[in-house]
Amino acid sequence: MRLRRRRRENQRLMPIKNQKDPARGVFTRRALLFMAVQTGTLGVLAHKLYQLQVKDGDRYARMAASNRVSKRYLAPPRGRIVDRYGIALANNKENWRALILPEETTDVAGTIERFSTIIPLDERDRARIAREMRHQRRFVPVMLRDFLSWDEMARIELNAPSLPGVLIDVGTRRVYPEGELLAHIIGYVAPPNERDVAHSALLALPGMRVGRSGIEQSQDEKLRGTAGSVEMEVNSVGRVMSELNRIEGAPGTEIGLTIDRGLQQKVLGRIGEQTASAVVMDCRNGEVLAMVSTPSFDPSLFDSGVSHAQWIEWTNNERTPLINKTVAGVYPPGSTFKPAVAMAGLQSGLFSPSDRIFCPGHLDVGGTRFHCWSRWGHGSIDLHQALKYSCDVYFYEMARRIGMDRIADTAHQFGLGTTLDIELPHTRTGLIPTPTWRQAHHHHWNGGDTIVSGIGQGFVQVTPLQLATYTSRLATGRSVQPHLVRALNSEVGPQAMADHWPALNMPEKYLTALRSGMFAVVNEQHGTAPKARLSLPGVTMAGKTGSAQVRRVSRALRESGHFNSANLPWEYRPHALFICFAPYDNPQYAVSVVIEHGNAGADAAAPLARDIMTDTLMRDPVNHVTPPPESVADAGDIE
């Protein structure tokens, strides 16, 4: 009974026991959801920590380091330019400057404005800074001011907390110890423009300079070098605390020139205040030992900026100080051209050295009279006498018979009217005219053009460097090319060897005849250049005078007997020229001289060339490995 009662009780309570608790179900779901959220959050955090510490750890470490380390590139030292003995002609000198790193300041314009209240900036500085800011990346420093004084540097350092991104840096500026002496050869440098920077990113660095003329321009890429870098520790306001690491840039190539600085000084001293040019060459290998063009200019002015007033003064000067007259000045060669005409005549087969032409003082062709410089004429003369007396009629007749094309071909072989491979920009080729050239300019070539070309007048134009090359080739019979670069980083090139240059395609017997005639010009009685005779024992020189008209003289004025070109205004007087080589029996040196409006080559240019040749022979630069004593050229005014 009792057992049945208990079973019934259990059956009654069983539905109640099997019912689920609603509150307990809700709690379980919330716990699970909360646990899932926690697990997900922890997973995300773990992933982020992994991302930050493992995958991106190096990147964030670099970013953290960049907050205290500032890295910038350094402009490399520009290569030196030295003379043949290693004497510096273009060098570098340290100077202080203020830079701004745009990436280290949030307000570039404000920083620059605050800087200008401490160190004044003119409109040109502001324009340059704005231009560089636009075209350069933020990590490239921009120069605010160059050539700072100690007082200016102190003021910048004192105000450093208010000038984030501004720092003092030591740079270099280009210096030219010889100033005007070598300005036309060395040239000058100037800050790069936008086109330069677009061509080479290296030029965006503060302090970089670009060659604008002379060797500085022609050898610019060799002189630039390779950029370096420096890492500096900075504080929260960007002030430099210490230097952590520095990698110096590789300096540019040192350019060794053929120039003898001492001889250059001697030549300049001989020319004095005249507007003139002179070239001294080693006629065996084409090395240019001296190259002077006067007046000159101070190249150092271009590094810091030439004032407007100075530029106007230079460009308005009728004597053109900015032009290197030795390579960019073109002049009628006058009678210095006659040996080239003679060689053309001899090679044509129409003349021999012994053939004679009669000179009555003029040549009449087609109703036009062409005068000889001597009113009385020279009579019947051969080639030797024609060169000795510089007879115009002889070369008028020779040119008329052989024609201008033969003359032009020979002149080009001698280097006249051609592009010479010298390491200077802005060189001119001059002109040896031909009928084809004249017709190309829609003009007729007539017989008179050929006749006057026979004495180096008319359209014929050459440079003083071409005259020196012409003289060197005539003296040695080799096709030497003039050059200024002798060595790169002290390693002498093959062009310094005489056998590097091939022989001219001209018979030696004809070259000997021309040299003999030029010897007579200087050393025989009645030669046109007795004032060029050397006074050095046992040494003789051969040469040729030239006077090149710059305006036509009428027939009536010539025949009046009262004409004297020395009485003309300076700008209307003929140019005075002289070419020479020495020693005569073993040619080593060639000299060309052009004195603008110097009137007579025999009176003005020949004595100057004699003095220059004397200085050269006494110094004998090509046979010295160290600079000859300055006293060697003090034999002075040898007559």
Side-chain angles (χ1 to χ4, degrees), residues 4 32 111 167 235 238 259 289 316 366 461 490 537 588-589 630:
R4 285 196 299 270
L32 291 174
T111 300
L167 61 138
N235 61 16
I259 293 292
L289 305 171
N316 288 344
Q461 290 187 326
S490 301
Q588 296 182 51
Y589 301 108
E630 291 299 318

Side-chain angles (χ1 to χ4, degrees), residues 393-529:
V393 169
Y394 184 97
F395 292 97
Y396 287 152
E397 183 62 25
M398 180 175 277
R400 186 181 70 83
R401 293 186 194 178
I402 65 176
M404 196 61 215
D405 286 327
R406 284 195 178 103
I407 294 173
D409 288 344
T410 303
H412 290 156
Q413 282 186 276
F414 277 126
L416 301 173
T418 63
T419 300
L420 297 176
D421 190 22
I422 193 167
E423 305 89 341
L424 288 176
H426 316 305
T427 61
R428 297 179 66 179
T429 60
L431 175 66
I432 306 298
T434 61
T436 303
W437 166 83
R438 186 71 169 150
Q439 291 161 10
H441 289 79
H442 311 292
H443 293 284
H444 176 67
W445 181 272
N446 57 55
D449 294 327
T450 300
I451 290 171
V452 296
S453 295
I455 63 166
Q457 293 282 175
F459 300 110
V460 182
Q461 290 187 326
V462 300
T463 68
L465 179 65
Q466 289 177 348
L467 287 174
T469 304
Y470 158 51
T471 308
S472 295
R473 293 182 179 184
L474 196 158
T476 63
R478 289 187 176 273
S479 300
V480 296
Q481 280 281 357
H483 55 279
L484 282 165
V485 175
R486 187 168 192 265
L488 301 178
N489 287 333
S490 301
E491 184 175 342
V492 178
Q495 69 275 14
M497 306 303 295
D499 58 8
H500 178 76
W501 306 102
L504 287 171
N505 186 24
M506 295 179 181
E508 183 61 29
K509 63 180 181 179
Y510 293 156
L511 288 169
T512 300
L514 298 184
R515 294 170 195 149
S516 175
M518 293 175 68
F519 176 88
V521 168
V522 176
N523 301 285
E524 293 184 5
Q525 189 175 10
H526 304 307
T528 56

Side-chain angles (χ1 to χ4, degrees), residues 216-230:
E216 292 278 28
Q217 179 176 347
S218 70
Q219 306 296 304
D220 186 56
E221 292 191 3
K222 292 185 179 72
L223 290 165
R224 286 181 193 171
T226 305
S229 63
V230 60

Side-chain angles (χ1 to χ4, degrees), residues 511-628:
L511 288 169
T512 300
L514 298 184
R515 294 170 195 149
S516 175
M518 293 175 68
F519 176 88
V521 168
V522 176
N523 301 285
E524 293 184 5
Q525 189 175 10
H526 304 307
T528 56
K531 293 182 180 179
R533 197 168 302 157
L534 296 178
S535 296
L536 298 176
V539 182
T540 54
M541 180 173 78
K544 186 69 193 76
T545 55
S547 297
Q549 293 179 2
V550 297
R551 61 180 301 187
R552 187 176 182 275
V553 180
S554 68
R555 176 174 178 176
L557 188 57
R558 280 187 176 276
E559 295 181 348
S560 68
H562 301 295
F563 174 70
N564 186 350
S565 58
N567 296 327
L568 294 171
W570 178 80
E571 64 272 19
Y572 295 143
R573 297 173 192 168
H575 299 310
L577 303 93
F578 194 77
I579 59 173
C580 57
F581 64 87
Y584 173 72
D585 53 357
N586 181 28
Q588 296 182 51
Y589 301 108
V591 172
S592 70
V593 170
V594 178
I595 303 176
E596 290 189 2
H597 310 293
N599 196 40
D603 293 330
L608 176 58
R610 173 206 63 201
D611 293 342
I612 292 172
M613 183 63 80
T614 300
D615 291 337
T616 304
L617 290 169
M618 295 186 71
R619 286 184 66 85
D620 198 16
V622 300
N623 291 319
H624 285 81
V625 294
T626 57

